[in-house]
Amino acid sequence: MLTRVPLRAAIGVATTLLASALAVRADDASPWQRDGHSAVRLLAGSRSGAVLLGGIAFQLQPGWKTYWRMPGDSGVPPRFDFSKSENVEAVTVMWPAPLKFDDGAGGHSIGYHDQIVLPLRIVAKSADKPVTLRAEINYAVCEKLCIPVEANAELGFNSVASTEDANLRAALDTVPKPATIGDPNPLTIRDIKRDGAKNVVVDVIVPDGRNVNLFVEGPTPDWSLPIPAPVEPSPPGVKRFSFELDGLPPGAKAEGAALKFTLVGPEKSYEFNTNLE
């Protein structure tokens, strides 16, 4: 027996199903918070256990950039406050490999353009209770001038299978992997040594002489070390970088300081931690 459904009723059912699907999808990302040159929102991965994967997604207009955790010669690093979240013990921001670009003042800045997702590792206080992430996001977008941006976003982690899982995994793959100096990787730091009182030399093994960037950070955010510069000529099979021990906070000593080096290649990137001798 064939049952006929009135067209108006069929359209109503289809509209309800579509709205439900869109609502489920919308739950995996907060609304875009837009300013004149950028937009930002939160992403939620699948809800599974006490450790969750989320993200902060940025969209930037062509020609505009934002900054890495260490902005380089000029710029403002992003700042995030998650303290108003519910059932959240801790949030760790993970940083994809950044780019180096001219800052328009004769130096270089470090950051991102077009679009970027910063993965978040979120630890819930109770795995069986709802998690709501609330973020106060302060960042800068720059073309020729820098404009500060403030945004507030909120997102619950509800999906058993989030529509953002693939995006978050892809972003996580771009985060530099931990490595040890002298590792037998095709791209690695071979040696770090002092050259006089204030100069540090870093030798990098680079496959096929490809272009790489090297960044260095001190043990605390108030260190402002220069971007290591390539040294020419370098030894065969090695790309040599050097930087001066400038930008230390008052009273800080370079000897024994815990430094972090981020080595960014065209395909893979690594992070190295060492104490300066």
Side-chain angles (χ1 to χ4, degrees), residues 100-241:
K100 184 174 74 171
F101 45 83
D102 292 338
D103 65 1
H108 292 91
S109 293
I110 309 169
Y112 310 101
H113 56 67
D114 296 327
Q115 56 188 1
I116 190 70
V117 174
L118 308 184
L120 303 174
R121 182 180 184 272
I122 302 160
V123 180
K125 293 180 180 178
S126 299
D128 58 347
K129 294 182 179 180
V131 169
T132 300
L133 188 67
R134 296 190 179 96
E136 295 180 6
I137 304 168
N138 293 272
Y139 64 104
V141 291
C142 301
E143 189 187 37
K144 295 180 180 178
L145 297 175
C146 283
I147 300 173
V149 181
E150 296 182 2
N152 291 277
E154 176 179 328
L155 183 61
F157 282 67
N158 304 308
S159 296
V160 175
S162 170
T163 58
E164 295 295 338
D165 280 348
N167 288 337
L168 292 171
R169 286 194 297 268
L172 199 59
D173 285 342
T174 66
V175 175
K177 304 300 185 287
T180 302
I181 295 169
D183 275 349
N185 297 323
L187 175 65
T188 189
I189 292 178
R190 185 177 73 177
D191 188 32
I192 300 172
K193 55 182 179 289
R194 298 284 291 271
D195 180 19
K198 294 197 66 176
N199 203 46
V200 177
V201 174
V202 184
D203 284 346
V204 175
I205 304 296
V206 183
D208 305 323
R210 300 182 184 183
N211 290 328
V212 298
N213 284 316
L214 182 68
F215 309 118
V216 60
E217 300 167 80
T220 58
D222 53 349
W223 284 56
S224 184
L225 296 170
I227 299 175
V231 176
E232 297 296 346
S234 294
V238 170
K239 191 171 185 66
R240 177 166 287 175
F241 293 84

Side-chain angles (χ1 to χ4, degrees), residues 82-96:
F82 303 101
S83 61
K84 296 179 182 178
S85 302
E86 293 182 15
N87 190 31
V88 171
E89 182 69 32
V91 179
T92 301
V93 180
M94 293 174 279
W95 300 83

